Amino acid sequence: MNKGFLVTFEGGEGCGKSTQIKLFIKFLEEQKLNFILSREPGGCVLGEKIRAILLHSKEDMSALSEFFLFCANRAEHVKEVIKPALEEGKIVVIDRYYDSSLAYQGYAGNLDIKKLKNITAFATDNVVPDLTFLLDISYEEGFGRKAKDENLKNLDRIEQRDRAYHEKVRQGYLKLAKEEPNRFVVIDASKSLEEIHEEIIKIFLKRIKK
Ligand code: TYD
């Protein structure tokens, strides 16, 4: 039986996801809640190996192969980490999950979303998030922030893609959110750090009590 609570964070480049996850985790610790934090790509031993291929491989890769690598990572991650933690009643927080594949490989990579959703359900054994925060940011603002915080020469294989790709990722995410309004909460990521954090906590507390 699935007794835990699965929260995922999603968004395009420079949306402030990592910072918000840090603040959220600090809150969970202060509340003495039983949680684990994980990420994709990665999250388990095999997943971290696949992550290295996905983000740093020099070879060209089609959107479809990329999708299947993310799926292989995800299948292992669900089986080894996510499901066991949920079965123990834990709050599971993941920095990206399958919505990333639907937005990046699916919408931006021009693959058939319906098919990808079916494969995803199989790969994840139907483990669906209870709550998904989508931090929505424009291309200008997202990459503007990234340019301030890090060296843009160090962008990974996927981050390096052009503006049109990242615009499609954003629109893809918004479509996914519209299709599942009960699961998704879209947050305007141009707001201040504190405002966003407060919004996240408020929504989380309301949902977890349901
Ligand atoms: P990561 O280092 O986790 O960066 P971020 O801080 O942006 O989350 O890199 C993940 C990259 O992989 C990011 O550009 C999004 C991409 N990605 C996909 O394209 N599909 C997926 O299914 C996932 C999980 C990530």
Side-chain angles (χ1 to χ4, degrees):
M1 200 182 76
N2 183 344
K3 300 169 289 175
F5 191 85
L6 177 57
V7 194
T8 59
F9 284 79
E10 297 283 352
E13 312 303 331
C15 67
K17 196 165 42 67
S18 314
T19 310
Q20 286 304 327
I21 291 174
K22 265 190 213 141
L23 293 173
F24 182 62
I25 291 304
K26 199 167 153 242
F27 167 82
L28 296 179
E29 279 167 356
E30 284 164 5
Q31 300 295 309
K32 303 209 174 351
L33 289 165
N34 199 358
F35 73 93
I36 62 157
L37 168 66
S38 197
R39 68 169 183 181
E40 285 190 5
C44 53
V45 178
L46 177 64
E48 292 297 331
K49 288 186 181 168
I50 297 176
R51 178 185 174 94
I53 301 175
L54 278 164
L55 301 186
H56 306 297
S57 127
K58 299 271 179 286
E59 293 83 34
D60 268 354
M61 207 187 287
S62 70
L64 190 59
S65 328
E66 219 170 76
F67 174 75
F68 278 110
L69 281 173
F70 279 112
C71 272
N73 179 165
R74 197 157 289 137
E76 195 68 13
H77 190 205
V78 167
K79 182 172 164 283
E80 294 296 324
V81 178
I82 301 174
K83 257 187 142 182
L86 289 173
E87 276 159 12
E88 285 169 21
K90 289 183 181 157
I91 295 165
V92 176
V93 184
I94 330 179
D95 183 347
R96 298 191 182 279
Y97 189 40
Y98 64 72
D99 296 303
S100 283
S101 288
L102 299 176
Y104 282 79
Q105 286 65 50
Y107 281 109
N110 300 313
L111 297 176
D112 183 329
I113 296 295
K114 229 175 154 181
K115 281 187 188 152
L116 299 198
K117 282 189 174 177
N118 285 333
I119 299 164
T120 294
F122 185 47
T124 58
D125 201 10
N126 294 303
V127 174
V128 174
D130 296 288
L131 177 59
T132 297
F133 290 109
L134 170 57
L135 301 181
D136 178 53
I137 194 97
S138 70
Y139 177 84
E140 285 86 5
E141 207 165 334
F143 275 85
R145 273 190 199 167
K146 252 192 163 5
K148 252 197 232 157
D149 296 348
E150 18 182 314
N151 187 347
L152 289 184
K153 282 189 192 127
N154 294 336
L155 294 183
D156 69 44
R157 223 173 48 80
I158 295 174
E159 286 168 330
Q160 279 170 19
R161 292 179 180 157
D162 64 9
R163 178 181 182 136
Y165 184 89
H166 291 288
E167 300 272 14
K168 282 198 228 165
V169 169
R170 183 185 188 196
Q171 294 313 320
Y173 266 135
L174 291 172
K175 267 191 211 157
L176 293 169
K178 229 179 180 171
E179 282 166 15
E180 289 181 77
N182 292 330
R183 170 164 75 88
F184 271 95
V185 174
V186 182
I187 295 196
D188 174 358
S190 66
K191 287 188 189 166
S192 77
L193 236 145
E194 296 77 16
E195 266 179 297
I196 298 174
H197 178 57
E198 272 174 32
E199 202 176 330
I200 287 175
I201 297 301
K202 218 164 97 190
I203 294 162
F204 169 73
L205 288 174
K206 221 194 294 170
R207 292 289 181 93
I208 202 157
K209 281 177 192 149
K210 266 190 190 166

